[in-house]
Amino acid sequence: ETKLPHFVIGTVRDAPDTSELVQDFRKLGEEFDKLGYFHVSPWFYVRKVLTVLCIFACSLGLLFKSESFVAHMVSAVLLGLFWQQFAFVGHDCGHMSARTHARDHINVPKLGALVTFFNGISVAWWKATHNVHHAVPNTVDCDPDIAHLPVFALNKLMFGSLFNKYHGRVMPFDWPARNIFVPYQHFWYYPIMCVARFNLYIQSVLFLLASNDGHGGRTKLDMAAFLGFCSWLSLLVSCIPTWGERVAFVVLSHAVAGVLNVQITLSHFSRPIFDSPTKVNDANKYGGDFFSRNVISSLDVACPTYLDWFHGGLQFQTLHHLYPRLGREHLRKIEPLIASLCKKHSLPYTQKSFIDCNIEV
C-alpha cells in the first residue's frame, strides 16, 4: 500500500475480462489469507534456526575437537547440510513468507546480510534474479534460472545464441557449448551441481560490484556480509592441518551443499519451456496467465512428511509459485486444494518421487 504507488506508470483501460481460472485461484488465495496461511508460528522458525545452528556447531566441534581425517570429513558434510538448510530460511524470508503476524515487517536488507554472512550468496543478487524467475518461469529468453549456457541448454532455441533479456546480452552457443557440455549435459549434470555453489559466489561478486541497473540491495552492509563470509570460511579452512585435507574439506562441503542446486533445478528443468511472445496480444505469451504458467512450468516432489525438513518447502514448488508468500508450514495443507483446482481447469499439476524427478531431468 505504501510502496506500490511509486511504481505506477499509467492506468489500464478496457482491460480484458478476468478468466474463470484466474478468479478461482484468486478466491482460493483469499481463503488462505482468512485461514492465516500467509503467516507462520514464531516457534516454527525458532526451531528451524536453532536446528541449523546446531548443525553448524556440530560441524565446528568435529573440526576443532578432533584431529581425525574422518571427523573432519563429517564436519564438511555437516557444513554443507548447514548451508543447504540455512538457504531455505533465507528463501522464506526473501519471499516475506516468514511473517508471524500481518503487522510483521521483515527487514530484508538486514536479514539478507545475515544470510549472506553465513551462506556466502548475496541475497540482493538472489532477489534480483528470483523475482524475475517467478514472474516469467521457464521463458526461454527471460528467466535467468534457465540461462546456463555454455553448460546447459534446455531448449533448441538456445542453440541459436539467444539474446537474454534479463542479462541484456547474447548467450552464445559457442565451441565449449557445442562440443564439450551440451551434447553430454546429462552426464555433466551432477558433477556441475557439486560445484555450482562456486558459480553463485561469482555471480554475487559480479552483482555487488556492478553499477546500479535498477535492482536494489547493493549496500555496504551486503558487501561487508559477503567479505565476512569469505573471512570466516578462509579462517576455518586454514585451521585444517594439510593442504590435501583442506581441498577435500572444501570440495566435500560444497558438493553436499550442491544438493540444494539439484532440488532447485529439479523443479523446472524438465518442464515445458516457453517462447517469448511473437504477437502483442498473444494470449499464450510467457505460458499464459500467471497461474497457468507457474503450474505448467513447475514439478513437485512427492515425499513423506518426515522428509519435509530435507526439501525445505521446495518439494511443493507449484504451490510456492502460485502463492509465494504463503508460509512453508502450511504448504502441505493446501496441496489437495491446488490439485483439485488444477484438475477442474485441466492444468497439468505434476508430482513425482524425488528419484523419478531426477530421472526425468
Side-chain angles (χ1 to χ4, degrees):
E1 294 178 357
T2 59
K3 294 183 178 181
L4 285 180
H6 297 290
F7 298 95
V8 173
I9 60 173
T11 302
V12 177
R13 295 180 179 177
D14 300 323
D17 294 333
T18 304
S19 67
E20 182 184 0
L21 181 151
V22 172
Q23 291 180 30
D24 283 350
F25 275 101
R26 287 177 177 175
K27 289 178 183 177
L28 190 58
E30 292 172 359
E31 289 300 315
F32 293 156
D33 191 21
K34 293 176 183 178
L35 292 170
Y37 287 175
F38 288 94
H39 311 117
V40 297
S41 165
W43 294 109
F44 179 81
Y45 281 102
V46 168
R47 293 194 301 269
K48 290 296 177 186
V49 172
L50 288 178
T51 299
V52 296
L53 290 179
C54 284
I55 295 173
F56 188 46
C58 290
S59 175
L60 296 179
L62 286 170
L63 187 63
F64 292 115
K65 295 295 184 180
S66 174
E67 297 181 358
S68 165
F69 175 81
V70 173
H72 291 174
M73 293 305 100
V74 174
S75 172
V77 170
L78 291 175
L79 180 59
L81 183 61
F82 164 73
W83 282 332
Q84 182 226 19
Q85 290 294 311
F86 198 75
F88 294 145
V89 176
H91 176 260
D92 293 347
C93 294
H95 273 295
M96 305 293 286
S97 64
R99 298 193 307 166
T100 60
H101 193 276
R103 291 191 298 270
D104 283 357
H105 174 70
I106 298 177
N107 190 317
V108 175
K110 290 184 178 179
L111 186 62
L114 181 65
V115 175
T116 301
F117 176 79
F118 281 110
N119 247 30
I121 301 169
S122 169
V123 172
W125 165 79
W126 174 81
K127 284 182 67 66
T129 63
H130 202 66
N131 288 342
V132 176
H133 164 65
H134 269 263
V136 285
N138 278 23
T139 300
V140 69
D141 60 349
C142 297
D143 184 0
D145 280 17
I146 63 170
H148 297 302
L149 282 174
V151 177
F152 298 128
L154 305 185
N155 187 273
K156 62 182 180 180
L157 291 173
M158 295 180 177
F159 298 164
S161 295
L162 199 66
F163 181 84
N164 187 276
K165 295 174 182 176
Y166 174 82
H167 292 291
R169 63 179 177 85
V170 171
M171 304 291 286
F173 192 66
D174 52 17
W175 189 90
R178 294 194 305 270
N179 297 279
I180 300 176
F181 293 111
V182 174
Y184 312 103
Q185 60 185 0
H186 48 300
F187 295 118
W188 280 111
Y189 178 69
Y190 291 111
I192 287 174
M193 292 300 105
C194 289
V195 297
R197 187 177 179 83
F198 292 104
N199 178 58
L200 301 184
Y201 297 154
I202 295 171
Q203 296 302 319
S204 296
V205 171
L206 294 176
F207 181 84
L208 293 173
L209 294 180
S211 59
N212 192 350
D213 57 359
H215 298 296
R218 292 182 178 90
T219 64
K220 293 181 179 178
L221 180 61
D222 202 42
M223 180 66 77
F226 185 80
L227 292 175
F229 168 81
C230 295
S231 299
W232 75 253
L233 182 59
S234 299
L235 182 62
L236 194 70
V237 174
S238 69
C239 295
I240 300 173
T242 67
W243 274 105
E245 197 170 322
R246 290 171 185 173
V247 171
F249 182 90
V250 171
V251 171
L252 182 57
S253 60
H254 283 72
V256 172
V259 171
L260 176 63
N261 298 98
V262 173
Q263 291 170 310
I264 292 171
T265 54
L266 284 184
S267 304
H268 300 288
F269 269 24
S270 66
R271 299 291 88 195
I273 304 296
F274 308 127
D275 195 359
S276 287
T278 55
K279 302 176 183 178
V280 175
N281 296 317
D282 185 357
N284 294 317
K285 60 184 178 181
Y286 304 118
D289 62 79
F290 175 82
F291 298 102
S292 296
R293 77 179 69 136
N294 277 288
V295 171
I296 295 171
S297 64
S298 300
L299 173 64
D300 285 6
V301 177
C303 72
T305 305
Y306 62 80
L307 283 179
D308 282 351
W309 70 272
F310 174 73
H311 293 284
L314 298 187
Q315 73 273 36
F316 299 116
Q317 189 71 200
T318 305
L319 285 54
H320 166 63
H321 265 254
L322 292 172
Y323 305 100
R325 292 174 57 197
L326 196 138
R328 194 206 311 179
E329 68 171 326
H330 304 302
L331 290 174
R332 186 170 286 277
K333 303 174 190 175
I334 73 169
E335 191 273 332
L337 299 175
I338 298 298
S340 175
L341 195 53
C342 287
K343 183 177 181 180
K344 173 184 175 181
H345 292 285
S346 300
L347 284 176
Y349 173 64
T350 310
Q351 189 181 59
K352 298 184 178 183
S353 71
F354 186 64
I355 293 176
D356 286 339
C357 288
N358 276 266
I359 293 173
E360 183 168 301
V361 169

